[in-house]
Amino acid sequence: REDTRPDSPPPFTAQDTSAPVQPVSGDDTEKAWAALRPLDTTRPAYSRKSNLVAFQPGGVGSAYDILRTRLVQQAETNGWRRIAIVSAGAEAGKTTTAANLAFSLSRQSDYRSLVIDFDLRRVSLAKTLDQEVPHTMEDVIEGRIPFSEHALRFGTNVAFGLNGKPVRQSAELLQSQRAKNAMAEIEATYKPDFIIFDVPPLFTADDSIGFLRNVDCALIVVAAEETPMAQIDTAERQVAELTRVMGVVLNKCRMTSDD
C-alpha cells in the first residue's frame, strides 16, 4: 500500500485575495489563546464515572497518555501537524478517543493543540464534553462568527471547535475553499503544533473521503469484537489512498488485571 500513499497534503491556503491571511506575532498568539473562553469542567461528564478518563492524570486514562506520546513522537519525526481521527462505522469510540487525547495533550505544556469537530452531521464531541454550544463550525467557516468567539479553551494549550447542532450539506462544506480559508486563518492566528480533526465514519457518508486529503495522517479507531476485520481492512485501504495511516486504535477492549 506504500505505492498508493499520497504526497504531503496541500496546506490550508486562503485563495480570496480580498481577505489575505495575515501572520501574527508570538505575543499576539499568546493573547489570542488567553482570550478564548474556558471549557466548563463543572459539568457531570467530568466526574470519575464518565468516559473522559484522561481528564485527570493516571488510572485508566494512562492508556491515552501512551497513545498521546506515540502520536507526538510519530508526528514530530515525520513533520505531521494535521491528524484526523476516523472510524469505519459509527459507535467505535473515535470521538471519545479525540476528547481524551485532547486532555492528555493538555498536560504537555510545550505543545498547543486544536481539536476540531468536523463530524458535522452530529454533535458528538459537544455531547461527550458536556458543553452547550450555540454555534457550529459551519458558522465559523461561513464567517458568521469568528473562531475566537466560538472556541473553548482547556488549560492554556488546548482549544476545541464544537458544534451545537447538526450541519446540513456537511460534505460540500468540508470540501469547499471556504473551509480551507477558515482553517488557514485559524492556523495563522493560533499556531498550533497539532490539529486533531474528529471526522465522520467512512462508511456513513462521503464527508471524510472529501476531507482526508487535507490532513497529514489519520488514526483509525475500531471497536473490539464489534468492527469486522473485513471492514477494518477496507477502512485502512480507503484511508491509505487519501492520506497516511498513523495507526489503528483498538477501542472497547475487555482488559483483565494481572493481580
Side-chain angles (χ1 to χ4, degrees):
R1 298 176 189 175
E2 293 290 326
D3 294 337
T4 65
R5 194 170 63 187
D7 296 329
S8 297
F12 290 121
T13 53
Q15 294 185 2
D16 182 2
T17 56
S18 65
V21 174
Q22 299 292 336
V24 297
S25 68
D27 288 342
D28 288 338
T29 301
E30 295 283 350
K31 292 177 181 177
W33 276 87
L36 295 175
R37 290 182 298 125
L39 193 77
D40 182 3
T41 57
T42 64
R43 311 280 293 181
Y46 297 88
S47 69
R48 287 284 186 178
K49 297 179 181 180
S50 78
N51 289 328
L52 300 179
V53 295
F55 177 64
Q56 299 288 346
V60 293
S62 297
Y64 286 105
D65 291 342
I66 295 171
L67 178 62
R68 170 207 65 196
T69 300
R70 297 185 68 175
L71 178 149
V72 169
Q73 290 176 347
Q74 196 168 350
E76 287 193 320
T77 297
N78 294 283
W80 298 340
R81 183 172 69 251
R82 287 173 262 151
I83 303 166
I85 299 184
V86 66
S87 60
E91 306 300 329
K94 65 176 180 61
T95 297
T96 300
T97 299
N100 281 293
L101 267 176
F103 291 123
S104 186
L105 282 165
S106 73
R107 292 192 282 277
Q108 292 200 315
S109 58
D110 291 338
Y111 303 104
R112 289 192 178 108
S113 303
L114 296 179
V115 183
I116 306 296
D117 187 1
F118 270 173
D119 193 351
L120 298 173
R121 297 173 188 263
R122 305 166 182 81
V123 292
S124 299
L125 189 54
K127 287 181 178 178
T128 298
L129 296 173
D130 200 3
Q131 302 296 307
E132 296 180 359
V133 185
H135 302 98
T136 68
M137 283 304 298
E138 179 190 33
D139 294 320
V140 174
I141 292 170
E142 298 291 3
R144 292 190 285 267
I145 184 172
F147 188 74
S148 59
E149 296 180 16
H150 174 69
L152 298 173
R153 173 177 49 81
F154 177 74
T156 61
N157 62 335
V158 171
F160 295 91
L162 307 177
N163 300 301
K165 63 181 180 181
V167 173
R168 300 179 62 184
Q169 296 183 315
S170 57
E172 293 81 1
L173 182 68
L174 291 179
Q175 297 175 55
S176 69
Q177 184 60 44
R178 302 187 305 282
K180 294 179 182 180
N181 290 352
M183 289 309 305
E185 182 176 350
I186 291 169
E187 280 192 319
T189 301
Y190 295 93
K191 292 182 170 60
D193 296 285
F194 307 112
I195 308 179
I196 295 176
F197 295 99
D198 181 10
V199 298
L202 284 168
F203 302 152
T204 60
D206 64 329
D207 300 43
S208 292
I209 297 173
F211 180 75
L212 283 176
R213 287 194 181 276
N214 296 310
V215 301
D216 297 305
C217 60
L219 272 175
I220 304 172
V221 178
V222 300
E225 302 181 19
E226 294 179 21
T227 310
M229 283 301 300
Q231 201 174 85
I232 297 172
D233 187 63
T234 301
E236 194 274 339
R237 288 178 183 273
Q238 287 192 10
V239 172
E241 292 173 357
L242 300 168
T243 187
R244 301 170 183 86
V245 177
M246 177 179 266
V248 177
V249 176
L250 185 62
N251 193 33
K252 301 184 180 181
C253 296
R254 291 187 290 178
M255 305 297 289
T256 57
S257 173
D258 293 333
D259 296 336

